[in-house]
Amino acid sequence: MDVKEVERLIKISKEHPLLPETYIPWQIDPQPDDIFLPELLTSLQGLEIYDTLTPLQKLELGRHELVQVVASYAWGECLFCLFMTRHLLTLPADNVEHRFILRELIEEFRHQEMFGQAIQKLGGKPIKQSGMHKFFGKFSNKYLPADYLFMGSISVELVTDVYGNYARRAPNIYPVLKKMFDLHNIEEGRHILFTKSLLKTYSQKAGYIKRTLYSYVILFNIYFVRTMYVKKEIYERIGLENPEEAYKLASKNFRNKFSENCLKDIIKFVDEWKGFNLVTRWAWRWLLNAKV
C-alpha cells in the first residue's frame, strides 16, 4: 500500500468534506423538462416498445429505475459498512488503513442518508431485494475473507462510478440528482484509489488459483448488482399492458446495454492482474456478455 497516497486521501477527506445537506440543493423541485435517468441507461430504450410509450411514461420509467438504482447503492454500501466495522477490529488504531476506513465509513454513512433523502424527494418506493439477493449479500459479507470483500467492493464502486457519470452529465438531469452524483463521484474516487492501493498487496502475491477466485468474486458482485435494477413491478407502475413480457424483453436488452456502456473500467482493472483466463473468461461472457 502507498502510505503517502493514503495519508493524502485522509487529509483531503478531513479538510474538504462534502456534506449532502449543504452541497445538494434539496429545495429545488423537478421542472417539466428535467429527467431523472438518461435514456441510454433505461431498460426499455432501444426496443420497439419504448417508442410506444408516452413522454410521461418515459419520464416515469426513468424515475422508478433511478430510485431502484439508488436504493441498491444504499443497500450495498450498508452491507460493506458492516464488513468494514468488523475489519477495523483487526487493525491497530494508528494503522493508516484503520484511519482511512474510519473516514470512508463516515462518508459511506452520509451517502446512505443522501440516497434515502433523494428517494424521498422523488416520491420513490424502492422494490425490496429478493430473498436470493438478501441471502448472498449477508452470507458473503459475513464469511468471505477481507481481500475478497475488498475485491467485491471495488468492482461495485467502479461500475457505480461509471453509471453516475452518465447520469450527472446528461442534459436536463434534475439538479438535485446531478449534485448527488457529483458528490458521490468525488468521494468514491478516493475510496477507489485507496482500495486499488490496498489490493496491490493481495493481487501481487496471488497465484493462478487466487486470481481466478478474485475474478469470480468480482463477476458475481457485478451480476448481483445489475440484477437489482430491472424489475417487473416498474412496468406495472408505468401502466404497460403486459408487464411480464416487457420484463423479459427489458432484461435481455439491459444486459446488452450494461455490457456495452458500464464494464470498460472493471474489465481494465481485472485485466491488470491477469484475472481473465480459460477458467473465468467464459463466465464473464455468459453472465455479463463481457467482451473479454
Side-chain angles (χ1 to χ4, degrees), residues 33-229:
D33 291 336
D34 287 341
I35 64 169
F36 306 113
L37 193 66
E39 285 188 317
L40 178 72
L41 298 178
T42 59
S43 61
L44 294 177
Q45 188 266 342
L47 296 171
E48 290 183 6
I49 191 174
Y50 188 72
D51 296 327
T52 70
L53 302 183
T54 66
L56 179 59
Q57 284 179 312
K58 291 179 179 179
L59 185 67
E60 284 295 284
L61 175 66
R63 183 173 72 90
H64 287 297
E65 293 196 333
L66 185 279
V67 165
Q68 196 62 27
V69 167
V70 170
S72 300
Y73 290 174
W75 187 69
E77 289 190 352
C78 186
L79 281 176
F80 192 57
C81 283
L82 286 174
F83 155 69
M84 286 195 292
T85 303
R86 291 195 305 268
H87 186 59
L88 282 177
L89 297 174
T90 69
L91 302 169
D94 62 341
N95 180 279
V96 70
E97 182 181 341
H98 184 283
R99 290 167 48 234
F100 182 86
I101 287 176
L102 283 176
R103 300 307 307 175
E104 183 169 355
L105 278 167
I106 291 168
E107 292 169 353
E108 295 289 20
F109 280 123
R110 286 202 300 248
H111 294 172
Q112 291 169 54
E113 183 183 31
M114 173 181 72
F115 291 146
Q117 191 167 349
I119 290 170
Q120 184 180 28
K121 184 72 178 177
L122 292 173
K125 187 177 180 182
I127 299 160
K128 293 181 179 180
Q129 296 80 19
S130 68
M132 192 66 71
H133 282 108
K134 291 179 181 178
F135 172 78
F136 281 110
K138 293 176 181 178
F139 181 88
S140 61
N141 184 279
K142 188 173 183 179
Y143 294 109
L144 283 183
D147 51 341
Y148 290 89
L149 283 166
F150 276 115
M151 279 290 181
S153 78
I154 195 171
S155 64
V156 174
E157 286 173 348
L158 285 168
V159 170
T160 299
D161 205 37
V162 171
Y163 216 85
N165 283 337
Y166 278 113
R168 68 193 181 94
R169 293 170 182 167
N172 301 328
I173 192 76
Y174 175 35
V176 164
L177 298 179
K178 181 186 184 306
K179 295 295 282 186
M180 179 189 77
F181 282 119
D182 281 343
L183 186 152
H184 195 245
N185 176 264
I186 292 167
E187 294 192 334
E188 286 299 315
R190 290 199 294 271
H191 303 168
I192 289 170
L193 286 174
F194 164 76
T195 309
K196 280 187 172 181
S197 179
L198 175 65
L199 288 175
K200 283 183 181 179
T201 61
Y202 294 120
S203 60
Q204 287 174 352
K205 299 176 184 178
Y208 183 87
I209 293 176
K210 199 153 197 179
R211 290 172 192 267
T212 297
L213 293 174
Y214 284 161
S215 185
Y216 270 105
V217 165
I218 290 175
L219 167 64
F220 287 131
N221 268 274
I222 297 172
Y223 179 76
F224 181 84
V225 168
R226 195 202 72 195
T227 54
M228 290 195 287
Y229 292 174

Side-chain angles (χ1 to χ4, degrees), residues 224-238:
F224 181 84
V225 168
R226 195 202 72 195
T227 54
M228 290 195 287
Y229 292 174
V230 179
K231 297 291 182 180
K232 183 183 74 171
E233 290 91 332
I234 291 175
Y235 312 121
E236 294 173 349
R237 290 177 183 179
I238 67 173

Side-chain angles (χ1 to χ4, degrees), residues 223-281:
Y223 179 76
F224 181 84
V225 168
R226 195 202 72 195
T227 54
M228 290 195 287
Y229 292 174
V230 179
K231 297 291 182 180
K232 183 183 74 171
E233 290 91 332
I234 291 175
Y235 312 121
E236 294 173 349
R237 290 177 183 179
I238 67 173
L240 294 189
E241 292 183 2
N242 192 338
E244 182 68 37
E245 181 64 20
Y247 173 70
K248 291 178 182 178
L249 293 171
S251 296
K252 183 177 180 180
N253 185 50
F254 189 72
R255 174 178 178 266
N256 294 331
K257 293 175 71 172
F258 191 86
S259 170
E260 292 172 8
N261 300 308
C262 300
L263 294 183
K264 182 179 178 180
D265 287 350
I266 193 64
I267 288 173
K268 181 180 177 182
F269 170 68
V270 174
D271 203 35
E272 285 174 358
W273 40 268
K274 299 179 176 61
F276 296 119
N277 55 46
L278 289 175
V279 182
T280 63
R281 194 171 282 111

